[in-house]
Amino acid sequence: GETRPLLERKYETISDIGQHIYYLLDHNIDEQLTLSPTLHETVRDSFSPFTDMVLPLLEQDEDDVQIIGLALFNDDKMVGKLKGDDSFYVVLIREKFDAGTIQTTIPGAPFKYISQDVPDDLNIALHSIYSNRKIQLVNEDTPEFDLNIKVSARLLEIHSSITTEEQEVVSKLEEEIEKEFSKEIMRIIKKTQELNSDIFGFGEVYKANVGT
């Protein structure tokens, strides 16, 4: 929607909408739930011929303002958006996590041998997520890149029918979480490709290896 009605509205629970939005963004950036939209970073990406902008997407929700996802750009035009939960994976690809948290779902079928009480959809929560990512150009003609993300985390919540005392269970959990992360990352990258929005800086990697 338009910015003016959002900023000029008189909110019952918000005395200063400007400060409210500032602290809303600041908190979510600190928790790595969204991307930092400082003037310096936005101008940098705006003028870069090899990286497109991505900004937090705000929406007026009754008597409040919320971050509902991310706005994707091609040059200076918004061409699409990602939902709020996708922000985790965008941060995972673009930056390093240093204390993130996520709730996700993996298939319960691989764990049915433990107990028939294991649900078909296994909800888990990961805490204290630390990550590191590396992007390498492997084929300059295609072009094709290798994206390697290393993640460590603490398992915070899981269904009571599953115990993590055995290494076999832990290894299977790691395998299924990796599959889920990979699936979501590929889905998001595919969407940005369809929108011709390089928010991850693959163009920068290509330029650094091949030149302009």
Side-chain angles (χ1 to χ4, degrees):
E2 295 183 5
T3 305
R4 182 183 292 273
L6 183 147
L7 295 176
E8 291 185 346
R9 177 173 175 172
K10 301 299 182 182
Y11 296 88
E12 292 184 8
T13 58
I14 303 172
S15 59
D16 186 325
I17 186 60
Q19 286 295 311
H20 174 79
I21 292 175
Y22 172 82
Y23 288 119
L24 174 68
L25 289 169
D26 191 54
H27 171 74
N28 280 269
I29 292 165
D30 284 345
E31 296 294 321
Q32 293 188 282
L33 299 173
T34 194
L35 296 171
S36 177
T38 65
L39 181 61
H40 168 75
E41 291 161 313
T42 303
V43 169
R44 178 198 63 199
D45 290 344
S46 176
F47 282 95
S48 170
F50 306 104
T51 302
D52 288 306
M53 292 189 299
V54 54
L55 297 172
L57 188 60
L58 302 177
E59 183 178 73
Q60 185 176 308
D61 178 21
E62 295 182 358
D63 201 48
D64 199 0
V65 174
Q66 301 289 343
I67 300 174
I68 62 167
L70 294 171
L72 308 179
F73 285 76
N74 180 312
D75 291 331
D76 60 351
K77 180 181 179 181
M78 180 179 166
V79 293
K81 59 185 178 181
L82 295 170
K83 63 181 186 294
D85 293 344
D86 290 343
S87 299
F88 170 82
Y89 296 102
V90 174
V91 175
L92 198 64
I93 300 169
R94 283 175 54 109
E95 304 174 1
K96 293 181 179 180
F97 264 104
D98 54 19
T101 301
I102 188 176
Q103 293 185 351
T104 189
T105 303
I106 60 176
F111 304 93
K112 292 287 188 180
Y113 75 94
I114 300 174
S115 169
Q116 289 303 310
D117 293 333
V118 175
D120 293 335
D121 294 320
L122 191 58
N123 297 318
I124 62 171
L126 299 175
H127 182 60
S128 299
I129 298 173
Y130 293 86
S131 73
N132 197 1
R133 71 100 170 96
K134 186 176 183 180
I135 301 175
Q136 288 182 301
L137 177 67
V138 296
N139 188 330
E140 65 184 64
D141 296 323
T142 312
E144 182 181 348
F145 300 87
D146 179 61
L147 172 63
N148 184 278
I149 303 176
K150 185 175 181 180
V151 178
S152 63
R154 183 167 66 91
L155 183 63
L156 188 64
E157 294 179 12
I158 195 169
H159 194 267
S160 59
S161 61
I162 295 181
T163 62
T164 56
E165 296 175 358
E166 298 182 10
Q167 182 58 43
E168 179 185 356
V169 176
V170 174
S171 297
K172 178 58 69 174
L173 281 170
E174 291 175 343
E175 179 183 338
E176 294 301 322
I177 292 169
E178 180 181 350
K179 288 180 182 177
E180 178 65 19
F181 279 18
S182 296
K183 180 186 74 174
E184 292 299 297
I185 286 170
M186 290 305 299
R187 175 182 62 81
I188 291 169
I189 290 177
K190 182 179 180 181
K191 181 168 183 176
T192 61
Q193 288 175 323
E194 291 170 349
L195 295 170
N196 197 26
S197 177
D198 183 8
I199 63 171
F200 301 116
F202 290 110
E204 290 283 2
V205 177
Y206 185 89
K207 173 181 175 291
N209 285 269
V210 179
T212 57

